[in-house]
Amino acid sequence: MFKAEPFVTRVAFAASDRPEAQDALKDLTARYGQVPEDQAQVIVALGGDGFMLETLHRNMGAPKPIYGMNRGSVGFLMNEYSADDLLDRINAAERAVIHPLSMVAVDIRRRQHRALAINEVSLLRQTRQTAKLRISVDGKVRLNELSCDGALVATPAGSTAYNLSAHGPIIPLDAKVLALTPISAFRPRRWRGALLGHEARVTFEILEADKRPVSAVADNYEVRDVLEVHVAENRDISLVMLFDAGRSLEERVLAEQFSS
């Protein structure tokens, strides 16, 4: 962890469409002013975790530090909301640097779809039929057939999201590890997933794709009727989130492992 660059004075505010986020936007811009995002040193995102992900995706091409404040329903990636002393909080904040996953999905028409995921890339069955997946890591088949509702690859930052709900492991940010987690595995029933090095390249092949259609989702970007999906960490992109001193993302991930 290292400190945010000092003397931040130019801030751009972005808010979700929730009434409490819009009210906060009016209050904060009246207090601190507003500059365009391309002129800002820091972007302040007002909303929940979904809006934080939306803001990160929107700034993927020219990433700037993003400081979130919770004005939504879920706020794991957000700081507590307060309109007071905002610039002091930002200047004292700690940085969390994360790298997204790159997804390349090939559909049944052999078209390629590319997307980035900050939390996870997930494969999900589209109908009542169980999905059947073949999973390879770095070109070697590791699981010839997994019957399941789906499977996902999660980043450390995303390990406390859908991955945790699917009973996957919580991963410290600095672990250089990705989680490969099944979703409601039917056969092999006892397979609980795997931890992979962050340089691993994962390939999912959809078996019986016509009978058992599967969709692939990179955060909120969905591709339906896929034949195969390739997932790897993209180290060329670094995204920065700011957290109040003593409330770093690493601390939150660690604390989550001891929560009841």
Side-chain angles (χ1 to χ4, degrees):
M1 297 297 298
F2 50 97
K3 295 293 185 181
E5 290 296 329
F7 310 120
V8 170
T9 57
R10 301 189 310 278
V11 176
F13 294 96
S16 73
D17 57 5
R18 293 176 64 103
E20 54 267 52
Q22 289 297 313
D23 289 343
L25 176 64
K26 294 176 184 177
D27 185 17
L28 292 170
T29 53
R31 290 192 186 207
Y32 300 100
Q34 170 80 300
V35 300
E37 290 188 356
D38 61 354
Q39 298 176 23
Q41 295 165 281
V42 170
I43 297 171
V44 176
L46 305 168
D49 284 354
F51 188 69
M52 170 60 87
L53 292 177
E54 179 183 323
T55 306
L56 287 165
H57 275 283
R58 184 162 44 82
N59 289 275
M60 198 82 74
K64 293 190 177 187
I66 298 176
Y67 180 91
M69 286 200 289
N70 189 18
R71 293 284 83 188
S73 56
V74 179
F76 187 83
L77 299 177
M78 313 300 275
N79 298 287
E80 291 184 5
Y81 178 77
S82 174
D84 297 329
D85 303 317
L86 178 60
L87 296 182
D88 290 340
R89 290 171 66 186
I90 291 174
N91 280 298
E94 298 177 343
R95 293 188 172 199
V97 180
I98 61 175
H99 304 283
L101 299 173
S102 289
M103 177 188 80
V104 180
V106 181
D107 67 21
I108 57 175
R109 297 175 182 83
R110 300 291 177 177
R111 296 178 301 191
Q112 285 193 0
H113 305 263
R114 297 178 181 270
L116 296 170
I118 295 164
N119 272 355
E120 75 278 317
V121 171
S122 53
L123 278 72
L124 305 165
R125 65 183 176 96
Q126 293 178 194
T127 68
R128 67 184 185 280
Q129 295 280 4
T130 299
K132 289 189 176 182
L133 310 176
R134 177 177 295 129
I135 302 176
S136 301
V137 179
D138 294 328
K140 181 175 181 178
V141 175
R142 292 294 182 177
L143 197 56
N144 195 55
E145 184 176 305
L146 172 66
S147 297
C148 56
D149 281 354
L152 61 86
V153 179
T155 66
S159 67
T160 57
Y162 191 9
N163 173 72
L164 182 59
S165 298
H167 307 291
I170 297 174
I171 304 172
L173 283 188
D174 58 357
K176 295 184 178 181
V177 166
L178 303 175
L180 171 57
T181 302
I183 302 170
S184 300
F186 176 69
R187 188 176 292 112
R189 193 182 300 273
R190 295 184 182 276
W191 188 66
R192 299 302 183 191
L195 290 174
L196 307 175
H198 71 100
E199 295 181 343
R201 306 183 70 84
V202 182
T203 297
F204 298 96
E205 298 172 72
I206 288 69
L207 308 179
E208 303 177 35
D210 291 338
K211 179 182 179 182
R212 304 171 186 274
V214 170
S215 66
V217 184
D219 284 349
N220 59 356
Y221 177 83
E222 182 181 24
V223 181
R224 296 182 69 81
D225 299 313
V226 294
L227 286 177
E228 59 185 55
V229 179
H230 306 273
V231 184
E233 187 181 66
N234 190 329
R235 301 290 292 186
D236 293 332
I237 299 176
S238 297
L239 302 172
V240 178
M241 292 185 291
L242 301 179
F243 293 90
D244 288 333
R247 291 287 295 155
S248 67
L249 188 56
E250 284 94 338
E251 170 60 28
R252 296 176 192 206
V253 170
L254 180 61
E256 189 71 24
Q257 296 179 77
F258 293 91
S259 64
S260 58

